[in-house]
Amino acid sequence: MLLELGDPLAHRALQSLVRAEAAVRRRLAAELEREGVSAAGFSVLVVLTTAGGTLELKTLRRRLGWSKANATEVTATLAARDFVVRRRSPSDGRVVLVDLSSGGRALVERLFPAHSDRVTRAFHALDEGEKRTFSELCRKLAA
């Protein structure tokens, strides 16, 4: 069976994007995993840190672009490791709040500087304009 590519350039772009994402993700995740936290878990901790320490689970998952199931699973794992506390909102029992624990905050403070350096190195091949353009293109694709 012969497969027809409607837009061969779009397929090449997709392959390039997937390969680049996998390479960058591997570089960034390896050190975090050696420190005992997944890249997804670290993302949650960073978002909570920048948000002041507490977010509704619904808001957290929107900021990360995650499904409800994924956000629930990652925050449950972090809670089991005492990096966050999950609790019901006192004003609305249907709402789950996620609080950054002191252990989670300490982990972010310890790991973030080196993580930030790894992010910078991961994109070292791009100049400032290319990074800006890449960011804009990714936003367009995500919309």
PDB file of all heavy atoms in Angstrom, residues 109-127:
ATOM      1  N   GLU A 109      14.538  24.924  45.129  1.00  0.00           N
ATOM      2  CA  GLU A 109      15.626  25.880  45.369  1.00  0.00           C
ATOM      3  C   GLU A 109      16.995  25.245  45.142  1.00  0.00           C
ATOM      4  O   GLU A 109      17.906  25.887  44.648  1.00  0.00           O
ATOM      5  CB  GLU A 109      15.513  26.455  46.780  1.00  0.00           C
ATOM      6  CG  GLU A 109      14.335  27.397  46.926  1.00  0.00           C
ATOM      7  CD  GLU A 109      14.073  27.843  48.360  1.00  0.00           C
ATOM      8  OE1 GLU A 109      14.782  27.374  49.293  1.00  0.00           O
ATOM      9  OE2 GLU A 109      13.141  28.650  48.549  1.00  0.00           O
ATOM     10  N   ARG A 110      17.110  23.966  45.457  1.00  0.00           N
ATOM     11  CA  ARG A 110      18.388  23.271  45.279  1.00  0.00           C
ATOM     12  C   ARG A 110      18.645  22.916  43.815  1.00  0.00           C
ATOM     13  O   ARG A 110      19.760  23.051  43.314  1.00  0.00           O
ATOM     14  CB  ARG A 110      18.404  22.006  46.147  1.00  0.00           C
ATOM     15  CG  ARG A 110      19.725  21.256  46.112  1.00  0.00           C
ATOM     16  CD  ARG A 110      19.793  20.171  47.175  1.00  0.00           C
ATOM     17  NE  ARG A 110      18.813  19.131  47.054  1.00  0.00           N
ATOM     18  CZ  ARG A 110      18.911  18.073  46.230  1.00  0.00           C
ATOM     19  NH1 ARG A 110      19.960  17.946  45.449  1.00  0.00           N
ATOM     20  NH2 ARG A 110      17.975  17.160  46.205  1.00  0.00           N
ATOM     21  N   LEU A 111      17.607  22.461  43.098  1.00  0.00           N
ATOM     22  CA  LEU A 111      17.802  21.948  41.746  1.00  0.00           C
ATOM     23  C   LEU A 111      17.620  22.981  40.635  1.00  0.00           C
ATOM     24  O   LEU A 111      18.156  22.802  39.536  1.00  0.00           O
ATOM     25  CB  LEU A 111      16.836  20.781  41.478  1.00  0.00           C
ATOM     26  CG  LEU A 111      16.981  19.548  42.349  1.00  0.00           C
ATOM     27  CD1 LEU A 111      15.991  18.480  41.914  1.00  0.00           C
ATOM     28  CD2 LEU A 111      18.404  19.030  42.314  1.00  0.00           C
ATOM     29  N   PHE A 112      16.861  24.043  40.895  1.00  0.00           N
ATOM     30  CA  PHE A 112      16.510  24.945  39.795  1.00  0.00           C
ATOM     31  C   PHE A 112      17.712  25.638  39.149  1.00  0.00           C
ATOM     32  O   PHE A 112      17.745  25.739  37.916  1.00  0.00           O
ATOM     33  CB  PHE A 112      15.462  25.986  40.212  1.00  0.00           C
ATOM     34  CG  PHE A 112      14.917  26.718  39.022  1.00  0.00           C
ATOM     35  CD1 PHE A 112      13.932  26.135  38.232  1.00  0.00           C
ATOM     36  CD2 PHE A 112      15.413  27.957  38.662  1.00  0.00           C
ATOM     37  CE1 PHE A 112      13.450  26.781  37.112  1.00  0.00           C
ATOM     38  CE2 PHE A 112      14.935  28.613  37.539  1.00  0.00           C
ATOM     39  CZ  PHE A 112      13.941  28.029  36.768  1.00  0.00           C
ATOM     40  N   PRO A 113      18.692  26.117  39.891  1.00  0.00           N
ATOM     41  CA  PRO A 113      19.809  26.800  39.205  1.00  0.00           C
ATOM     42  C   PRO A 113      20.508  25.911  38.161  1.00  0.00           C
ATOM     43  O   PRO A 113      20.738  26.354  37.028  1.00  0.00           O
ATOM     44  CB  PRO A 113      20.750  27.179  40.354  1.00  0.00           C
ATOM     45  CG  PRO A 113      19.842  27.313  41.542  1.00  0.00           C
ATOM     46  CD  PRO A 113      18.809  26.222  41.355  1.00  0.00           C
ATOM     47  N   ALA A 114      20.801  24.670  38.507  1.00  0.00           N
ATOM     48  CA  ALA A 114      21.453  23.769  37.545  1.00  0.00           C
ATOM     49  C   ALA A 114      20.495  23.407  36.411  1.00  0.00           C
ATOM     50  O   ALA A 114      20.910  23.289  35.254  1.00  0.00           O
ATOM     51  CB  ALA A 114      21.949  22.510  38.252  1.00  0.00           C
ATOM     52  N   HIS A 115      19.213  23.249  36.728  1.00  0.00           N
ATOM     53  CA  HIS A 115      18.227  22.959  35.695  1.00  0.00           C
ATOM     54  C   HIS A 115      18.154  24.118  34.702  1.00  0.00           C
ATOM     55  O   HIS A 115      18.123  23.903  33.483  1.00  0.00           O
ATOM     56  CB  HIS A 115      16.855  22.705  36.336  1.00  0.00           C
ATOM     57  CG  HIS A 115      15.762  22.497  35.339  1.00  0.00           C
ATOM     58  ND1 HIS A 115      15.631  21.329  34.630  1.00  0.00           N
ATOM     59  CD2 HIS A 115      14.771  23.315  34.917  1.00  0.00           C
ATOM     60  CE1 HIS A 115      14.592  21.433  33.816  1.00  0.00           C
ATOM     61  NE2 HIS A 115      14.060  22.631  33.977  1.00  0.00           N
ATOM     62  N   SER A 116      18.138  25.319  35.214  1.00  0.00           N
ATOM     63  CA  SER A 116      18.102  26.501  34.347  1.00  0.00           C
ATOM     64  C   SER A 116      19.323  26.547  33.427  1.00  0.00           C
ATOM     65  O   SER A 116      19.200  26.864  32.238  1.00  0.00           O
ATOM     66  CB  SER A 116      18.024  27.768  35.212  1.00  0.00           C
ATOM     67  OG  SER A 116      17.969  28.905  34.393  1.00  0.00           O
ATOM     68  N   ASP A 117      20.482  26.200  33.963  1.00  0.00           N
ATOM     69  CA  ASP A 117      21.697  26.132  33.130  1.00  0.00           C
ATOM     70  C   ASP A 117      21.554  25.071  32.043  1.00  0.00           C
ATOM     71  O   ASP A 117      21.974  25.281  30.903  1.00  0.00           O
ATOM     72  CB  ASP A 117      22.927  25.821  33.985  1.00  0.00           C
ATOM     73  CG  ASP A 117      23.350  26.982  34.861  1.00  0.00           C
ATOM     74  OD1 ASP A 117      22.905  28.127  34.614  1.00  0.00           O
ATOM     75  OD2 ASP A 117      24.124  26.733  35.812  1.00  0.00           O
ATOM     76  N   ARG A 118      20.959  23.924  32.365  1.00  0.00           N
ATOM     77  CA  ARG A 118      20.761  22.866  31.365  1.00  0.00           C
ATOM     78  C   ARG A 118      19.802  23.320  30.271  1.00  0.00           C
ATOM     79  O   ARG A 118      19.989  23.012  29.095  1.00  0.00           O
ATOM     80  CB  ARG A 118      20.264  21.581  32.028  1.00  0.00           C
ATOM     81  CG  ARG A 118      21.356  20.813  32.761  1.00  0.00           C
ATOM     82  CD  ARG A 118      20.885  19.434  33.211  1.00  0.00           C
ATOM     83  NE  ARG A 118      19.767  19.479  34.144  1.00  0.00           N
ATOM     84  CZ  ARG A 118      19.892  19.682  35.451  1.00  0.00           C
ATOM     85  NH1 ARG A 118      21.083  19.855  36.000  1.00  0.00           N
ATOM     86  NH2 ARG A 118      18.828  19.686  36.224  1.00  0.00           N
ATOM     87  N   VAL A 119      18.762  24.057  30.645  1.00  0.00           N
ATOM     88  CA  VAL A 119      17.825  24.590  29.645  1.00  0.00           C
ATOM     89  C   VAL A 119      18.572  25.539  28.705  1.00  0.00           C
ATOM     90  O   VAL A 119      18.432  25.447  27.484  1.00  0.00           O
ATOM     91  CB  VAL A 119      16.630  25.305  30.309  1.00  0.00           C
ATOM     92  CG1 VAL A 119      15.793  26.053  29.290  1.00  0.00           C
ATOM     93  CG2 VAL A 119      15.763  24.316  31.085  1.00  0.00           C
ATOM     94  N   THR A 120      19.385  26.406  29.273  1.00  0.00           N
ATOM     95  CA  THR A 120      20.172  27.345  28.453  1.00  0.00           C
ATOM     96  C   THR A 120      21.070  26.574  27.490  1.00  0.00           C
ATOM     97  O   THR A 120      21.132  26.897  26.299  1.00  0.00           O
ATOM     98  CB  THR A 120      21.007  28.271  29.369  1.00  0.00           C
ATOM     99  OG1 THR A 120      20.102  29.029  30.183  1.00  0.00           O
ATOM    100  CG2 THR A 120      21.883  29.206  28.561  1.00  0.00           C
ATOM    101  N   ARG A 121      21.751  25.547  27.999  1.00  0.00           N
ATOM    102  CA  ARG A 121      22.641  24.754  27.143  1.00  0.00           C
ATOM    103  C   ARG A 121      21.865  23.984  26.073  1.00  0.00           C
ATOM    104  O   ARG A 121      22.343  23.806  24.953  1.00  0.00           O
ATOM    105  CB  ARG A 121      23.484  23.797  27.984  1.00  0.00           C
ATOM    106  CG  ARG A 121      24.621  24.499  28.727  1.00  0.00           C
ATOM    107  CD  ARG A 121      25.637  23.508  29.291  1.00  0.00           C
ATOM    108  NE  ARG A 121      25.069  22.413  30.066  1.00  0.00           N
ATOM    109  CZ  ARG A 121      24.774  22.465  31.369  1.00  0.00           C
ATOM    110  NH1 ARG A 121      25.011  23.575  32.062  1.00  0.00           N
ATOM    111  NH2 ARG A 121      24.262  21.422  31.986  1.00  0.00           N
ATOM    112  N   ALA A 122      20.662  23.526  26.403  1.00  0.00           N
ATOM    113  CA  ALA A 122      19.862  22.757  25.447  1.00  0.00           C
ATOM    114  C   ALA A 122      19.497  23.593  24.221  1.00  0.00           C
ATOM    115  O   ALA A 122      19.307  23.054  23.129  1.00  0.00           O
ATOM    116  CB  ALA A 122      18.597  22.227  26.118  1.00  0.00           C
ATOM    117  N   PHE A 123      19.430  24.899  24.403  1.00  0.00           N
ATOM    118  CA  PHE A 123      19.046  25.789  23.305  1.00  0.00           C
ATOM    119  C   PHE A 123      20.212  26.645  22.819  1.00  0.00           C
ATOM    120  O   PHE A 123      20.010  27.619  22.107  1.00  0.00           O
ATOM    121  CB  PHE A 123      17.858  26.665  23.725  1.00  0.00           C
ATOM    122  CG  PHE A 123      16.572  25.889  23.792  1.00  0.00           C
ATOM    123  CD1 PHE A 123      16.196  25.257  24.966  1.00  0.00           C
ATOM    124  CD2 PHE A 123      15.762  25.763  22.686  1.00  0.00           C
ATOM    125  CE1 PHE A 123      15.023  24.510  25.034  1.00  0.00           C
ATOM    126  CE2 PHE A 123      14.592  25.022  22.737  1.00  0.00           C
ATOM    127  CZ  PHE A 123      14.220  24.394  23.916  1.00  0.00           C
ATOM    128  N   HIS A 124      21.433  26.242  23.173  1.00  0.00           N
ATOM    129  CA  HIS A 124      22.610  27.038  22.810  1.00  0.00           C
ATOM    130  C   HIS A 124      22.819  27.159  21.309  1.00  0.00           C
ATOM    131  O   HIS A 124      23.405  28.126  20.841  1.00  0.00           O
ATOM    132  CB  HIS A 124      23.873  26.461  23.460  1.00  0.00           C
ATOM    133  CG  HIS A 124      24.402  25.255  22.740  1.00  0.00           C
ATOM    134  ND1 HIS A 124      23.864  24.002  22.923  1.00  0.00           N
ATOM    135  CD2 HIS A 124      25.385  25.120  21.820  1.00  0.00           C
ATOM    136  CE1 HIS A 124      24.502  23.131  22.149  1.00  0.00           C
ATOM    137  NE2 HIS A 124      25.431  23.773  21.471  1.00  0.00           N
ATOM    138  N   ALA A 125      22.314  26.203  20.535  1.00  0.00           N
ATOM    139  CA  ALA A 125      22.502  26.234  19.079  1.00  0.00           C
ATOM    140  C   ALA A 125      21.666  27.322  18.413  1.00  0.00           C
ATOM    141  O   ALA A 125      21.915  27.664  17.256  1.00  0.00           O
ATOM    142  CB  ALA A 125      22.150  24.878  18.478  1.00  0.00           C
ATOM    143  N   LEU A 126      20.706  27.878  19.142  1.00  0.00           N
ATOM    144  CA  LEU A 126      19.838  28.918  18.580  1.00  0.00           C
ATOM    145  C   LEU A 126      20.267  30.287  19.076  1.00  0.00           C
ATOM    146  O   LEU A 126      20.569  30.460  20.260  1.00  0.00           O
ATOM    147  CB  LEU A 126      18.378  28.674  18.996  1.00  0.00           C
ATOM    148  CG  LEU A 126      17.762  27.315  18.651  1.00  0.00           C
ATOM    149  CD1 LEU A 126      16.321  27.259  19.141  1.00  0.00           C
ATOM    150  CD2 LEU A 126      17.842  27.048  17.169  1.00  0.00           C
ATOM    151  N   ASP A 127      20.262  31.276  18.176  1.00  0.00           N
ATOM    152  CA  ASP A 127      20.531  32.644  18.628  1.00  0.00           C
ATOM    153  C   ASP A 127      19.232  33.230  19.208  1.00  0.00           C
ATOM    154  O   ASP A 127      18.184  32.568  19.195  1.00  0.00           O
ATOM    155  CB  ASP A 127      21.110  33.503  17.503  1.00  0.00           C
ATOM    156  CG  ASP A 127      20.162  33.736  16.336  1.00  0.00           C
ATOM    157  OD1 ASP A 127      18.915  33.774  16.539  1.00  0.00           O
ATOM    158  OD2 ASP A 127      20.653  33.887  15.200  1.00  0.00           O
TER     159      ASP A 127
END
